[in-house]
């Protein structure tokens, strides 16, 4: 059995785990990062795409990415479509902030490259099975690439290991301990090879179901259709996908092209019952899940990490544990605001199977009360572009 000793053991090399090791290293705190996936899997899985501006700034200022200067595209607003017409929410005018389109796997490539260049102990293909704080030692138990048991002994352990976190049990008491909401729909996501169909994102509420037109680059686009959670992504023909997208954003024209990837994203809202126990803490999807409609998941994960990194600096460099004590309270304020926003955007924009005519007309009333009110649009813009980190 191999035992590795470090200051902070981090389970999960997703955006949260990698950003945490990066921020800790900048403060002179060493960490070990484990992930069950390969580097290639991590760098190629298609995920979210919208970053709040403070996160772009953080990646730039801490030297994690110089590519954001070249490749991240500012988006000054979004369009809400409903009742056959588009309504622009102008973030720049309303709150003076943009969001940035920079795909999550590009963030991961940047962070992995920066960590590897700095000599970070980053172990891929290592399956963590659990974590423990027995009062004396904090440990992560794992199985290495060679099938040999591996133990990480640290002064603090962080679960950044996603929605199926193995660290959660040691923090929250069980895998399931927390607050949930399930939704009766999912998103069918595609990547297609075509020029952008719109300059900004279009979130469309239609009687046929929700659709989202997003972008990736000049040549590749990302689009989503509300679907049944049980839909087999291979069961729909390309023509049927395009026909569905067209009718949901009509009369806005779509530029079609070969569909090169398809996936189904399940919807769920979740907040773990505890974010910290002793010298163990959870960040990102291990701590909470939001439905993707508000583009909050990645940004919320990064916000947790910024708060926890500061708290760990106080603890590990100055012996001051008060910020770690306050981590759940500080992080949860933002987490529940993001939960509320993601739930609100989801419920306002999707068609609920079996909804009555009252429900449908009330939903249109809600959408008009947002887009015909400065205060309504500003509320949406504030949340979408991200609240200040404080
Ligand atoms: C995406 O581009 O993948 C995307 C954008 C906005 C969302 C969700 C996903 O709300």
């Amino acid at each position: 059995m191999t035992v590795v000793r470090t200051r902070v053991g981090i389970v999960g090399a997703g955006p949260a785990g990698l950003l945490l090791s990066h921020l800790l290293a900048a403060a002179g705190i060493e960490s070990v990062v484990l992930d069950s996936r390969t580097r290639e899997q991590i760098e190629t899985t298609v995920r979210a795409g919208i970053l709040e501006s403070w996160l772009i700034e953080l990646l730039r200022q801490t030297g994690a990415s110089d590519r954001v200067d070249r490749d991240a595209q500012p988006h000054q607003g979004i369009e809400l479509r409903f009742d056959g017409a588009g309504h622009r929410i102008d973030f720049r005018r309303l709150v003076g902030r943009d969001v940035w389109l920079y795909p999550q796997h590009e963030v991961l490539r940047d962070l992995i490259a920066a960590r590897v260049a700095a000599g970070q102990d980053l172990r891929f293909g290592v399956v963590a099975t659990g974590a423990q704080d027995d009062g004396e030692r904090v440990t992560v138990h794992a199985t290495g690439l060679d099938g040999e048991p591996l133990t990480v002994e640290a002064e603090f352990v962080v679960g950044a290991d996603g929605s199926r976190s193995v660290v959660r049990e040691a923090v929250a008491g069980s895998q399931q301990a927390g607050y949930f909401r399930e939704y009766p729909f999912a998103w069918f996501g595609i990547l297609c090879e075509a020029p952008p169909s719109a300059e900004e994102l279009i979130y469309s509420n239609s009687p046929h179901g929700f659709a989202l037109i997003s972008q990736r680059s000049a040549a590749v686009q990302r689009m989503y259709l509300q679907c049944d959670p049980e839909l087999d992504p291979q069961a729909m023909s390309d023509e049927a996908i395009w026909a569905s997208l067209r009718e949901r954003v009509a009369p806005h024209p779509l530029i079609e092209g070969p569909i090169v990837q398809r996936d189904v994203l399940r919807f769920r809202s979740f907040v773990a019952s505890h974010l910290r126990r002793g010298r163990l803490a959870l960040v990102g999807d291990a701590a909470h899940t939001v439905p993707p409609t508000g583009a909050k998941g990645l940004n919320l994960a990064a916000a947790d990490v910024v708060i926890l990194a500061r708290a760990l600096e106080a603890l590990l460099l100055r012996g001051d544990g008060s910020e770690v004590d306050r981590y759940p309270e500080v992080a949860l304020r933002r987490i529940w605001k993001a939960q509320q926003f993601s739930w609100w955007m989801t419920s306002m924009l999707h068609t609920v199977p079996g909804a009555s005519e009252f429900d449908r007309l009330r939903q249109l009333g809600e959408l008009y009360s947002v887009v015909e009110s400065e205060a309504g649009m500003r509320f949406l813009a504030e949340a979408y572009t991200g609240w200040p980190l404080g």
Side-chain angles (χ1 to χ4, degrees), residues 350-362:
H350 289 73
T351 315
V352 179
S356 66
E357 194 64 357
F358 176 88
D359 293 333
R360 199 184 64 77
L361 293 168
R362 188 208 54 79

Side-chain angles (χ1 to χ4, degrees), residues 125-381:
V126 173
V127 181
T129 49
Q132 205 177 1
D133 177 1
D134 65 11
E136 228 169 88
R137 290 181 319 163
V138 205
T139 45
V140 179
H141 305 288
T143 310
L145 263 182
D146 47 10
E148 284 292 305
L150 172 82
T151 298
V152 177
E153 266 186 43
E155 291 166 58
F156 204 96
V157 163
V158 179
D161 50 341
S163 51
R164 289 191 210 94
S165 171
V166 301
V167 179
R168 193 185 298 141
E169 187 172 342
V171 178
S174 83
Q175 254 284 339
Q176 287 79 31
Y179 310 93
F180 286 97
R181 162 121 336 169
E182 306 275 354
Y183 299 83
F185 39 76
W187 278 4
F188 183 16
I190 61 157
L191 271 185
C192 65
E193 287 173 351
S197 284
E199 276 179 27
E200 294 179 342
L201 273 67
I202 301 176
Y203 287 82
S204 186
N205 167 302
S206 97
H208 309 286
F210 171 78
L212 171 61
I213 308 303
S214 182
Q215 300 84 17
R216 282 295 178 268
S217 66
V220 176
Q221 312 311 322
R222 181 84 164 137
M223 301 182 189
Y224 300 92
L225 282 171
Q226 175 182 348
C227 70
D228 187 290
E230 303 307 326
L231 178 79
D232 167 7
Q234 304 311 325
M236 247 175 124
S237 69
D238 284 20
E239 189 34 52
I241 295 169
W242 284 114
S244 262
L245 283 166
R246 276 196 308 265
E247 78 179 352
R248 292 177 189 205
V249 297
H252 185 95
L254 292 181
I255 305 176
E256 299 177 19
I259 294 174
V260 291
Q261 195 177 312
R262 336 158 140 227
D263 45 20
V264 171
L265 271 77
R266 295 225 171 199
F267 270 48
R268 197 164 182 240
S269 299
F270 170 71
V271 180
S273 63
H274 297 82
L275 302 192
R276 180 231 165 189
R277 184 178 304 257
R279 287 172 294 166
L280 293 166
L282 302 175
V283 290
D285 282 0
H288 44 72
T289 309
V290 288
T293 323
K296 279 284 155 273
L298 170 60
N299 296 295
L300 196 55
D304 294 346
V305 164
V306 170
I307 299 164
L308 186 63
R310 285 185 198 147
L312 288 176
E313 275 179 47
L315 177 71
L316 299 175
L317 300 180
R318 302 190 289 281
D320 169 6
S322 62
E323 287 192 43
V324 166
D325 289 344
R326 275 203 314 276
Y327 164 68
E329 186 190 328
V330 175
L332 280 165
R333 176 69 64 87
R334 192 182 187 91
I335 291 166
W336 280 111
K337 282 164 71 172
Q339 286 292 355
Q340 145 60 23
F341 178 65
S342 307
W343 171 88
W344 178 59
M345 288 285 278
T346 300
S347 64
M348 182 164 67
L349 289 164
H350 289 73
T351 315
V352 179
S356 66
E357 194 64 357
F358 176 88
D359 293 333
R360 199 184 64 77
L361 293 168
R362 188 208 54 79
Q363 201 179 45
L364 292 180
E366 184 174 16
L367 283 158
Y368 278 117
S369 67
V370 172
V371 303
E372 292 181 348
S373 152
E374 278 290 299
M377 287 194 292
R378 186 165 295 127
F379 176 79
L380 195 155

Side-chain angles (χ1 to χ4, degrees), residues 35-52:
D35 199 291
S36 57
R37 298 165 295 173
T38 64
R39 178 172 177 175
E40 209 213 325
Q41 277 173 323
I42 295 173
E43 290 186 339
T44 55
T45 306
V46 176
R47 299 288 294 272
I50 294 290
L51 274 65
E52 294 171 9

